[in-house]
Amino acid sequence: QQVRTNDRLDELAKSLGGDAASGMASWIGRDVRAPAKGAFAGVPVEVEISPLADVDQAVLVVRNDFDQVVARRGVDPAQSTITWDGANEAGVQAAHGLYSFSVESYRDGEIVDTQRGNVFGTVEEVRIGENGDPMLLLEGGEAVAAVEVTALR
């Protein structure tokens, strides 16, 4: 799996016109999609989700920076993306800030899986993690491993 991950990073770096080291540095200022908190500033947030395939129900759960649930929305278990419009449980627009997203998968009314949603965030810094792998520091201060990135724009 590590070899596949390194190959994927090298492909992304090459697509940016450089070797792996210079490619990672060129990610600064770019947006990456990863399992991180997303900034809501009045504009809907697109969330990549991965509900289990053989479930009856899936629910998007949105939490604020204090880990409080602000919204829950049913989603089609076959969906791979959903857009959160910023509305909370009462239908009122949530405050601007950072929010985390997860999708809960249910079978026969029981929760069987929870996975974090992926959102776009701007890379502010590239670091080398404790194990030598590249880490990306995103706006808002959250760090994600480069291997968790699913898209770059």
Side-chain angles (χ1 to χ4, degrees):
Q1 182 177 6
Q2 184 65 39
V3 171
R4 243 184 32 206
T5 299
N6 288 340
D7 289 345
R8 190 169 109 202
L9 286 174
D10 286 341
E11 285 176 30
L12 283 170
K14 286 177 187 172
S15 74
L16 294 171
D19 62 18
S22 66
M24 292 303 297
S26 70
W27 288 17
I28 296 172
R30 306 280 301 266
D31 290 335
V32 295
R33 186 171 55 206
K37 292 181 180 179
F40 175 71
V43 178
V45 178
E46 183 179 287
V47 183
E48 180 184 54
I49 57 174
S50 302
L52 292 181
D54 58 344
V55 296
D56 308 320
Q57 179 185 15
V59 176
L60 175 72
V61 180
V62 182
R63 296 178 184 273
N64 64 17
D65 230 4
F66 303 104
D67 205 32
Q68 298 168 323
V69 174
V70 296
R72 294 177 63 83
R73 300 260 160 63
V75 296
D76 181 341
Q79 277 184 269
S80 61
T81 61
I82 186 169
T83 301
W84 179 55
D85 61 3
N88 65 17
E89 287 291 291
V92 177
Q93 188 177 64
H96 293 193
L98 293 174
Y99 292 85
S100 62
F101 303 88
S102 60
V103 64
E104 298 173 343
S105 297
Y106 291 84
R107 187 176 303 120
D108 298 324
E110 298 290 325
I111 190 166
V112 292
D113 187 55
T114 300
Q115 293 190 20
R116 199 154 179 205
N118 294 328
V119 296
F120 279 101
T122 303
V123 177
E124 292 186 340
E125 184 178 319
V126 177
R127 299 178 179 173
I128 301 300
E130 291 179 18
N131 59 359
D133 292 334
M135 298 292 296
L136 308 174
L137 184 64
L138 304 181
E139 64 183 333
E142 190 164 8
V144 297
V147 298
E148 294 181 295
V149 171
T150 61
L152 174 70
R153 62 178 184 194

